[in-house]
Amino acid sequence: MPPCYPTMTVDQTTGAVTNQTETSWHSINWTKANREVKRLQVRIAKAVKEGRWGKVKALQWLLTHSFYGKALAVKRVTDNSGSRTPGVDGITWSTQEQKTQAIKSLRRRGYKPQPLRRVYIPKANGKQRPLGIPTMKDRAMQALYALALEPVAETTADRNSYGFRRGRCTADAAGQCFLALARAKSAEHVLDADISGCFDNISHEWLLANTPLDKGILRKWLKSGFVWKQQLFPTHAGTPQGGVISPVLANITLDGMEELLAKHLRGQKVNLIRYADDFVVTGKDEETLEKARNLIQEFLKERGLTLSPEKTKIVHIEEGFDFLGWNIRKYNGVLLIKPAKKNVKAFLKKIRDTLRELRTATQEIVIDTLNPIIRGWANYHKGQVSKETFNRVDFATWHKLWRWARRRHPNKPAQWVKDKYFIKNGSRDWVFGMVMKDKNGELRTKRLIKTSDTRIQRHVKIKADANPFLPEWAEYFEKRKKLKKAPAQYRRIRRELWKKQGGICPVCGGEIEQDMLTDIHHILPKHKGGSDDLDNLVLIHANCHKQVHSRDGQHSRSLLKEGL
């Protein structure tokens, strides 16, 4: 039996906390936790739709004080790849005892967030982007309150906002661009807009006055400051990039722009398509878009934001524009969405830099490192007009690999280098790969994949009004789950298991997302005769894997059967 701790337990009907005894981290019923929190989120979304803001506040209080809400918040910040990155206190939560104590520590009374740890990451233009890393406790508190805020933000969001929203992605934004610009009578001019330092400049006063969330907690997060080179700096504006709740706050700040343009410029072929703080506006002529620019500037000024004069411009559709890594342009009246030249250049630079770092590595390591990079980039662009670009990228990649191989053996003839590093695979020659023995002693081919191996597959755009927190859309989102693909970094077995399970963890019933830590579990252990066949394997969250192994074998198998 798992150990018990003298702490809190859960009311079975409301999910609220009472002072009794709660079992350990690995004994938590995650399927029930997901179900109960989702139920409260659905009630919040319904109350927002009905305009019952008093009910919204009461339900948010109930969720943020519930045991299951706190447990899922801790699980969220410990399940992802960033869980090993500490804040200013240097603390991470890795053991079940730490996670159990973390649930108990998530209390509003007496809560005071610590300053953010400031780090900088390089941007594509050579500049650096500041990131603020909260402590684990502050991340968990933000995740908890994000659970209560997301149903509100989703229900009040702009119809054509696609960034940081559940069930939406960049391909949906590109699909909306196609719908707004592809027809012969569609708008011919586009306002390509850029907000100067959106996350860093959002007005704290505006957020506190307009965010439907606990004002005391929100104020503490906004004013927590950051530490850089052992010095504490205050924060007077902005919400930190790196905070769990920051994307939701940014969306709330920018929501309402689409409604504003529709109100003042109706009938002018005006469409706003936004992904986070990156957006474009279509219009029938330049004069219409100048009016749209002025309206947007006033809208942003109230929120402490401005448009970048250098990066904001009005273009004709036959000139084209770049948006989310794609170039959108009409060629002789036909709209084509292709990978942008800047994006292709950045990808090839990444290949070159990776090969430079691996100049002394084995061919097997090079293949294992490059394949996820190539697969991820190709999957991102496979929904657009990318075949010609894929072929060019494959040739450029082959050229870099040939130079990498020749540099390793400067005194060997070209044919020797070719025979060592390039094989014939089917009808293809000059394939970067090798023939090797697997663990069973059988020969198999290991090769570098090509972007042109990726089949072009058109993306089905999400309906603009779809809301994952309203029950009337539940069936719609279940159908869309079948269209999802496994995270790009997964190798063959993980991809097959992900597809077989529909991207759902059979232990907790939660989704397996891109940045989550996962393990492959043997249903019948190998030491008891279990095989490596797919029928005996499941892909589960790393945390759920620990939970399964913390219980006795019979209980573990029943836990998995319930989920499956």
Side-chain angles (χ1 to χ4, degrees):
M1 290 292 293
C4 293
Y5 298 88
T7 174
M8 55 194 75
T9 190
V10 187
D11 185 289
Q12 298 300 314
T13 57
T14 65
V17 178
T18 57
N19 292 322
Q20 293 179 19
T21 303
E22 174 55 40
T23 54
S24 68
W25 173 259
H26 287 324
S27 67
I28 296 172
N29 186 333
W30 293 110
T31 303
K32 185 173 183 180
N34 279 301
R35 184 174 64 246
E36 291 300 321
V37 169
K38 180 65 182 289
R39 183 176 62 83
L40 284 172
Q41 289 179 317
V42 167
R43 293 178 65 191
I44 291 171
K46 283 182 177 179
V48 172
K49 188 177 180 181
E50 295 166 0
R52 301 170 63 193
W53 291 101
K55 184 72 170 177
V56 170
K57 187 175 181 180
L59 290 169
Q60 285 183 324
W61 188 96
L62 186 60
L63 197 159
T64 55
H65 287 73
S66 72
F67 172 80
Y68 287 141
K70 293 177 181 181
L72 284 178
V74 174
K75 188 174 187 292
R76 175 175 176 178
V77 301
T78 55
D79 261 359
N80 61 40
S81 53
S83 61
R84 301 186 183 116
T85 304
V88 293
D89 57 1
I91 295 173
T92 57
W93 297 335
S94 55
T95 67
Q96 67 161 322
E97 290 77 15
Q98 289 173 322
K99 295 172 186 178
T100 304
Q101 292 299 321
I103 296 175
K104 293 186 284 182
S105 73
L106 300 185
R107 295 176 179 171
R108 185 188 186 282
R109 180 175 295 179
Y111 170 67
K112 184 179 180 181
Q114 293 184 263
L116 306 165
R117 181 165 70 91
R118 175 59 59 90
V119 296
Y120 290 89
I121 60 173
K123 295 171 66 175
N125 59 8
K127 297 181 180 180
Q128 290 189 317
R129 184 191 307 278
L131 284 184
I133 302 177
T135 63
M136 291 298 293
K137 180 177 178 179
D138 294 335
R139 268 179 259 179
M141 282 292 282
Q142 289 189 22
L144 175 61
Y145 279 82
L147 288 173
L149 185 59
E150 283 172 353
V152 181
E154 187 66 36
T155 308
T156 59
D158 285 346
R159 297 175 75 251
N160 290 302
S161 162
Y162 299 98
F164 304 129
R165 292 180 63 189
R166 199 174 295 187
R168 286 165 165 77
C169 63
T170 53
D172 291 311
Q176 183 60 27
C177 287
F178 187 87
L179 292 177
L181 295 165
R183 297 185 181 89
K185 294 183 180 180
S186 295
E188 295 185 348
H189 290 82
V190 177
L191 173 66
D192 184 8
D194 183 87
I195 300 174
S196 297
C198 177
F199 281 85
D200 298 329
N201 297 304
I202 298 174
S203 167
H204 286 179
E205 290 71 25
W206 190 93
L207 278 175
L208 289 167
N210 294 275
T211 305
L213 192 69
D214 188 310
K215 309 300 181 188
I217 292 289
L218 180 57
R219 182 179 288 104
K220 289 178 180 180
W221 286 332
L222 296 176
K223 302 297 183 182
S224 62
F226 66 90
V227 173
W228 170 243
K229 293 184 177 179
Q230 299 182 339
Q231 283 187 287
L232 177 63
F233 295 88
T235 46
H236 302 294
T239 176
Q241 296 186 60
V244 177
I245 204 170
S246 294
V248 187
L249 295 177
N251 267 342
I252 287 174
T253 302
L254 297 177
D255 282 334
M257 199 186 304
E258 187 173 0
E259 184 181 349
L260 177 71
L261 294 177
K263 178 180 177 182
H264 289 88
L265 298 172
R266 193 177 301 276
Q268 305 298 307
K269 299 181 181 179
V270 172
N271 295 276
L272 181 140
I273 302 104
R274 179 169 68 82
Y275 188 91
D277 60 338
D278 197 359
F279 66 93
V280 295
V281 182
T282 69
K284 70 174 186 178
D285 51 38
E286 293 188 32
E287 183 182 352
T288 299
L289 291 180
E290 284 293 349
K291 293 178 182 177
R293 192 209 302 251
N294 293 334
L295 287 169
I296 291 170
Q297 284 176 333
E298 288 299 315
F299 176 89
L300 294 176
K301 183 179 179 181
E302 183 184 353
R303 291 154 173 78
L305 303 172
T306 58
L307 290 175
S308 170
E310 299 82 17
K311 297 181 181 179
T312 301
K313 57 184 179 180
I314 297 174
V315 298
H316 194 277
I317 190 59
E318 292 189 358
E319 177 186 348
F321 62 96
D322 288 352
F323 184 53
L324 303 176
W326 294 299
N327 179 261
I328 303 173
R329 179 181 173 186
K330 269 189 176 179
Y331 298 81
N332 298 322
V334 179
L335 186 76
L336 298 180
I337 303 178
K338 301 180 178 181
K341 290 181 180 179
K342 287 183 180 179
N343 188 273
V344 174
K345 186 177 179 181
F347 170 69
L348 291 176
K349 181 179 183 299
K350 187 171 184 179
I351 296 290
R352 183 177 67 248
D353 292 345
T354 302
L355 287 174
R356 185 178 292 120
E357 293 173 3
L358 299 176
R359 54 184 175 269
T360 61
T362 64
Q363 185 180 16
E364 183 179 2
I365 291 175
V366 171
I367 293 172
D368 287 341
T369 304
L370 289 182
N371 272 350
I373 297 173
I374 294 171
R375 184 180 291 112
W377 187 83
N379 283 341
Y380 183 81
H381 293 289
K382 71 179 180 181
Q384 314 305 335
V385 184
S386 306
K387 203 64 180 179
E388 184 180 334
T389 304
F390 284 174
N391 290 330
R392 291 201 311 269
V393 164
D394 285 340
F395 176 76
T397 302
W398 173 88
H399 185 67
K400 296 179 193 307
L401 290 166
W402 177 245
R403 292 181 64 190
W404 174 87
R406 290 301 303 269
R407 283 199 194 98
R408 291 169 67 90
H409 307 282
N411 298 322
K412 295 290 186 180
Q415 185 63 44
W416 185 94
V417 176
K418 191 255 185 189
D419 292 341
K420 181 173 178 61
Y421 292 104
F422 296 86
I423 61 175
K424 189 169 184 179
N425 186 249
S427 60
R428 287 181 178 176
D429 200 2
W430 286 92
V431 175
F432 188 77
M434 57 194 295
V435 178
M436 56 185 296
K437 289 184 178 180
D438 60 18
K439 59 184 179 181
N440 297 321
E442 297 179 0
L443 293 177
R444 66 182 183 89
T445 299
K446 187 167 200 166
R447 68 177 183 89
L448 190 77
I449 63 171
K450 294 187 174 185
T451 57
S452 56
D453 293 337
T454 303
R455 185 167 60 92
I456 300 298
Q457 186 176 4
R458 299 301 176 213
H459 176 75
V460 179
K461 179 190 168 296
I462 193 170
K463 292 183 179 179
D465 294 324
N467 187 334
F469 295 104
L470 292 177
E472 57 263 34
W473 290 100
E475 184 178 350
Y476 174 76
F477 278 97
E478 282 298 320
K479 290 180 180 178
R480 285 191 66 83
K481 275 184 183 179
K482 298 177 183 178
L483 302 175
K484 286 186 68 176
K485 302 298 179 184
Q489 74 270 24
Y490 283 0
R491 296 182 187 174
R492 184 183 62 83
I493 293 178
R494 287 176 184 262
R495 294 175 73 82
E496 290 182 15
L497 290 174
W498 191 97
K499 185 176 179 180
K500 177 184 173 184
Q501 297 166 205
I504 300 298
C505 173
V507 176
C508 69
E511 293 190 18
I512 300 175
E513 300 288 357
Q514 179 94 13
D515 63 341
M516 290 181 174
L517 301 173
T518 58
D519 289 330
I520 294 176
H521 174 72
H522 290 77
I523 299 173
L524 180 63
K526 295 188 72 174
H527 68 271
K528 293 185 178 180
S531 68
D532 288 327
D533 295 338
L534 286 180
D535 290 341
N536 191 49
L537 302 177
V538 287
L539 182 68
I540 58 181
H541 296 131
N543 174 75
C544 295
H545 196 206
K546 292 177 183 177
Q547 182 183 32
V548 170
H549 280 289
S550 72
R551 305 184 179 192
D552 60 88
Q554 189 65 35
H555 196 167
S556 300
R557 286 193 290 277
S558 65
L559 187 70
L560 284 164
K561 286 178 181 178
E562 287 174 11
L564 292 168

